[in-house]
Amino acid sequence: MDETAFPARLPERDRPWVMRTYAGHSSATATNALFRRNLAKGQTGLSVAFDLPTQTGYDPDHELASGEVGRVGVPVAHLDDMRALFDGIPLAEMNTSMTINAPAMWLLALYASVGSEQGAELTRCAGTTQNDIIKEYLSRGTYIFPPAASLRLTADVVAYTLREMPRWNPVNICSYHLQEAGATPVQEVGFALATAVAVLDAVRDSGQVPAERMGDVVQRVSFFVNAGVRFVEEIAKMRAFGVLWDEITRDRYGVTEARQRRFRYGVQVNSLGLTEAQPENNIQRIVLEMLGVTMSRDARARAVQLPAWNEALGLPRPWDQQWSLRMQQVLAYESDLLEYPDLFAGSHVMTALVDEIVTGARVELDKVLELGGVVAAVETGYLKSALVTSLAERRRRMESGADVVVGVNRYAETEPSPLTAAGADAVEQVDPAVEAAAVDRVRRWRADRDGAAVDAALARLRADAASTANLMPATLDCVRAGVTTGEWAGALRQVFGEYRAPTGLAGATGSGGDPGLAAVRERVTATARELGSGRLRLLVGKPGLDGHSNGAEQIAVRARDAGFEVVYQGIRLTAAQIVAAAVEEDVDLVGLSVLSGSHLAAVPAVLDGLRAAGRADLPVVVGGIIPAGDADTLRAAGVARVFTPKDFALTDIIDDLVTVIRRANDLP
């Protein structure tokens, strides 16, 4: 063999990928301190986690923000919060990724304004706004506006950055959350590329970008992917992404330069695959998942952020995040990975696996396009139903033992873990006073500004939104006038309206092969007969702003398969709405799902509401990422059962729900 054609080593070692940790909590000041510490430890980029009120366009003092402020990210309500977030961090030298979608335009305007105040040339500022609204309707739930209006906002950001911030990635197509919602590798690739097509079509059709500059648009589109523990398959998936992206951008958009068609992506490895049981096993899972996006040089991630080992338990501490950063650094600097050409070039196994994913993903993409594109596929519920069905099948395989999860459904016997011996101290604790401080801060901000300037800026925003104008200039005006996050989103709500995405339950299929389901179904039928009702009725509720609905939907599907009539109205409900539905639908049980950490605020609000409505007798159960001490508190408050990620057997959970109903009604 000619060794010059296939050199054993690269002439010089590759530069490592950008290393980030996903960080943010409590306040802008506290998060700024965390950023500074992480940068000092060798992190080479920032990845900002915003709290749920910020992500869904509410200020800290809004009713729906109660219990959610500063929990899963940093609250940013106005320009001064953004100043505090990046105080002392030169934005001209930083590569910043912001996980923000529905209000992406607003957060980019805040960021650009702070950069300008620092004296940074916007043309030098590098980073990414996630800005993929489609996956929010399918998996993550932080959407605000209807799909068409949301895509308009995305297209406006793309056009603005093309002119003013050419190093910025204005949109980050996210297959990460599709995998979490159940997508197979084929679905993940096909559905994500359908989203990319929708974004590029929206930009092209907006008339804001000349046809000859579509190549410049394409080269600034990045992707954000998920990497599971089946790392060989993940390598093939990433290579398949590259093949199809090159094909689509060349054939559909006429991009002739290969450099502009290159598939560019960042990654966070699979957080929802981390286990509460034997959490020390999460370390090896994270390392294997990192290999899936780094081993293949031709399909290597441009940026990597890793979850912490204890994210199934709660919010990671700075030390936990440091451990994840050190994993990247050991791979990049101690191993020889970056010294070689692609390790899989010419591999028959890899070529066949890539071809298989490419073929399947092309079928999925074509089907979505035949439906009228990804917006139509969202609005009809097709995509959501497909994901709910795939996730149900994944759960069935795990429950049956066909898919092994070490420490969960096999090898569950364990020694006590010294990592969790500290109990609640094994995760970061968010001070409850954070919310009160944020509320006070935003109210003082409103009181100290020029009200006439705010009114004028919001009036311009509403007028521009009712036209076809690019909304970025009006948004920048709002930033300068002192408008808040909730006011900006509220003005656009007035013009665009709000949206409730299909839940996907109607078209989803369940777990047909579960042998234990027949016995549970008999108990459901017998209990309904003894109570004198036609069917048992279960209300599945998602209080607050937590949009991660996968678990709630799987419970709903399994309960329906067991014979329950399920009432599920989707995400983002107030306690009053949940109570009203429970009373009006005359349900037998209320099940609340809370994964954001706001359970100690959200659940008691529902319990209080039921008592006020004269239904203190109605049993309530709760599921979520809930520490043991908090579970005791909820039970003391009147919750009948608390389920956490270690309770993976859905049929057993449904059986337990029947027991709860029987005991609440004094049945044997």
Side-chain angles (χ1 to χ4, degrees):
M1 180 179 292
D2 182 0
E3 294 188 0
T4 60
F6 298 96
R9 283 183 171 80
L10 297 170
E12 58 183 66
R13 186 180 175 89
D14 276 341
R15 293 178 58 189
W17 50 88
V18 175
M19 299 182 191
R20 297 185 174 119
T21 51
Y22 185 47
H25 67 83
S26 299
S27 68
T29 301
T31 301
N32 174 265
L34 180 60
F35 285 169
R36 288 169 178 260
R37 289 199 301 272
N38 287 345
L39 290 169
K41 293 170 184 174
Q43 184 174 297
T44 53
L46 295 177
S47 180
V48 186
F50 296 99
D51 73 352
L52 288 175
T54 305
Q55 292 186 50
T56 50
Y58 293 109
D59 289 334
D61 57 348
H62 191 278
E63 176 188 11
L64 277 169
S66 177
E68 306 279 14
V69 177
R71 290 223 165 256
V72 300
V74 58
V76 175
H78 47 71
L79 180 58
D80 211 42
D81 283 344
M82 190 64 92
R83 289 172 180 146
L85 184 61
F86 292 105
D87 182 42
I89 298 174
L91 299 189
E93 301 170 17
M94 192 51 53
N95 190 309
T96 305
S97 173
M98 296 193 287
T99 300
I100 197 74
N101 296 284
M105 175 182 286
W106 173 247
L107 270 296
L108 179 60
L110 290 172
Y111 186 89
S113 296
V114 170
S116 295
E117 289 179 354
Q118 290 183 354
E121 296 178 23
L122 293 184
T123 54
R124 290 184 56 202
C125 288
T128 303
T129 33
Q130 192 170 99
N131 207 11
D132 172 3
I133 201 62
I134 297 300
K135 60 93 175 50
E136 298 299 328
Y137 303 119
L138 301 175
S139 59
R140 196 165 167 272
T142 66
Y143 56 82
I144 302 174
F145 315 113
S150 296
L151 277 176
R152 173 191 169 180
L153 289 170
T154 300
D156 283 357
V157 170
V158 172
Y160 168 81
T161 56
L162 190 67
R163 294 190 306 269
E164 306 294 336
M165 302 177 71
R167 294 185 62 199
W168 193 266
N169 298 325
V171 62
N172 194 221
I173 307 298
C174 294
S175 73
Y176 177 91
H177 308 89
L178 301 181
Q179 186 184 113
E180 285 195 338
T184 64
V186 162
Q187 289 175 321
E188 185 180 343
V189 175
F191 295 169
L193 290 174
T195 297
V197 166
V199 170
L200 290 174
D201 281 0
V203 172
R204 180 193 61 195
D205 298 343
S206 73
Q208 299 186 71
V209 176
E212 63 271 16
R213 295 210 64 189
M214 282 303 292
D216 296 324
V217 172
V218 165
Q219 74 174 352
R220 298 317 310 177
V221 174
S222 62
F223 287 73
F224 185 68
V225 305
N226 203 335
V229 75
R230 293 171 57 84
F231 71 96
V232 176
E233 189 172 66
E234 295 294 351
I235 294 169
K237 180 186 76 181
M238 300 321 307
R239 294 170 75 94
F241 254 129
V243 170
L244 284 170
W245 181 241
D246 184 76
E247 176 185 300
I248 290 167
T249 53
R250 182 191 65 232
D251 297 346
R252 188 179 181 93
Y253 302 104
V255 180
T256 57
E257 290 191 35
R259 174 183 56 83
Q260 293 180 321
R261 299 197 307 268
R262 184 179 178 186
F263 182 75
R264 301 160 58 250
Y265 76 97
V267 65
Q268 161 131 345
V269 307
N270 189 3
S271 291
L272 283 192
L274 305 181
T275 63
E276 178 187 12
Q278 299 181 28
E280 61 275 8
N281 293 336
N282 293 330
I283 296 299
Q284 48 266 37
R285 293 186 180 108
I286 292 168
V287 171
L288 288 171
E289 290 162 354
M290 175 174 56
L291 292 178
V293 293
T294 55
M295 286 185 69
S296 173
R297 184 175 187 258
D298 292 347
R300 182 170 293 149
R302 301 283 290 270
V304 176
Q305 59 191 46
L306 303 180
W309 68 276
N310 56 350
E311 287 195 17
L313 308 177
L315 189 68
R317 302 158 299 184
W319 184 86
D320 307 313
Q321 291 194 323
Q322 174 184 298
W323 196 357
S324 291
L325 176 62
R326 295 292 185 248
M327 292 179 206
Q328 294 199 59
Q329 291 168 331
V330 168
L331 179 63
Y333 297 111
E334 291 191 28
S335 85
D336 59 348
L337 177 66
L338 299 179
E339 297 174 9
Y340 303 102
D342 193 273
L343 305 178
F344 301 94
S347 164
H348 298 298
V349 171
M350 186 57 66
T351 298
L353 190 51
V354 170
D355 288 347
E356 179 182 311
I357 295 173
V358 165
T359 300
R362 192 179 280 119
V363 170
E364 292 287 356
L365 173 60
D366 289 345
K367 184 168 186 177
V368 171
L369 295 179
E370 287 168 7
L371 289 171
V374 76
V375 169
V378 166
E379 292 175 337
T380 61
Y382 166 73
L383 288 176
K384 185 64 174 177
S385 292
L387 293 173
V388 172
T389 298
S390 291
L391 187 56
E393 171 58 19
R394 186 191 298 172
R395 294 288 312 210
R396 186 199 64 77
R397 293 195 308 270
M398 187 180 78
E399 291 178 66
S400 70
D403 287 355
V404 174
V405 182
V406 174
V408 176
N409 65 358
R410 194 179 297 183
Y411 312 118
E413 291 188 6
T414 181
E415 299 295 327
S417 170
L419 292 176
T420 58
D425 292 337
V427 294
E428 185 80 21
Q429 301 298 313
V430 175
D431 187 342
V434 160
E435 183 164 320
V439 168
D440 179 66
R441 182 175 169 84
V442 74
R443 288 176 177 170
R444 283 190 286 109
W445 173 266
R446 292 194 199 108
D448 292 342
R449 65 193 182 176
D450 182 342
V454 169
D455 292 344
L458 289 172
R460 179 191 175 185
L461 178 65
R462 287 190 293 268
D464 283 3
S467 71
T468 58
N470 187 300
L471 294 179
M472 196 68 185
T475 296
L476 286 164
D477 271 0
C478 286
V479 169
R480 290 186 284 265
V483 167
T484 67
T485 298
E487 290 167 338
W488 177 87
L492 294 183
R493 282 182 170 99
Q494 292 175 19
V495 179
F496 297 146
E498 289 199 73
Y499 185 72
R500 294 200 69 81
T503 65
L505 297 189
T509 57
S511 64
D514 184 352
L517 196 60
V520 177
R521 191 178 291 116
E522 289 178 8
R523 288 193 76 206
V524 170
T525 302
T527 302
R529 184 172 58 248
E530 291 173 63
L531 291 175
S533 60
R535 296 175 70 184
L536 294 185
R537 295 166 66 80
L538 167 66
L539 172 67
V540 177
K542 289 287 297 178
L545 298 177
D546 170 31
H548 286 88
S549 59
N550 301 331
E553 288 153 2
Q554 291 305 305
I555 289 290
V557 170
R558 190 65 56 89
R560 186 189 64 190
D561 290 348
F564 275 89
E565 182 175 338
V566 177
V567 179
Y568 176 56
Q569 298 171 319
I571 64 171
R572 217 179 299 167
L573 300 173
T574 64
Q577 288 171 323
I578 291 172
V579 169
V583 173
E584 291 168 10
E585 299 286 351
D586 192 24
V587 299
D588 299 289
L589 178 69
V590 174
L592 303 177
S593 171
V594 186
L595 282 83
S596 66
S598 66
H599 43 269
L600 292 182
V603 176
V606 173
L607 293 172
D608 291 344
L610 288 172
R611 282 191 285 268
R615 290 304 312 270
D617 60 309
L618 188 58
V620 175
V621 301
V622 180
I625 299 176
I626 301 173
D630 289 359
D632 292 339
T633 301
L634 293 175
R635 283 188 284 263
V639 169
R641 293 284 191 282
V642 176
F643 301 100
T644 66
K646 70 177 183 299
D647 302 303
F648 71 92
L650 295 185
T651 299
D652 290 347
I653 291 175
I654 303 305
D655 192 36
D656 207 7
L657 299 186
V658 180
T659 299
V660 169
I661 293 172
R662 295 186 67 86
R663 289 181 179 173
N665 289 276
D666 297 321
L667 297 177

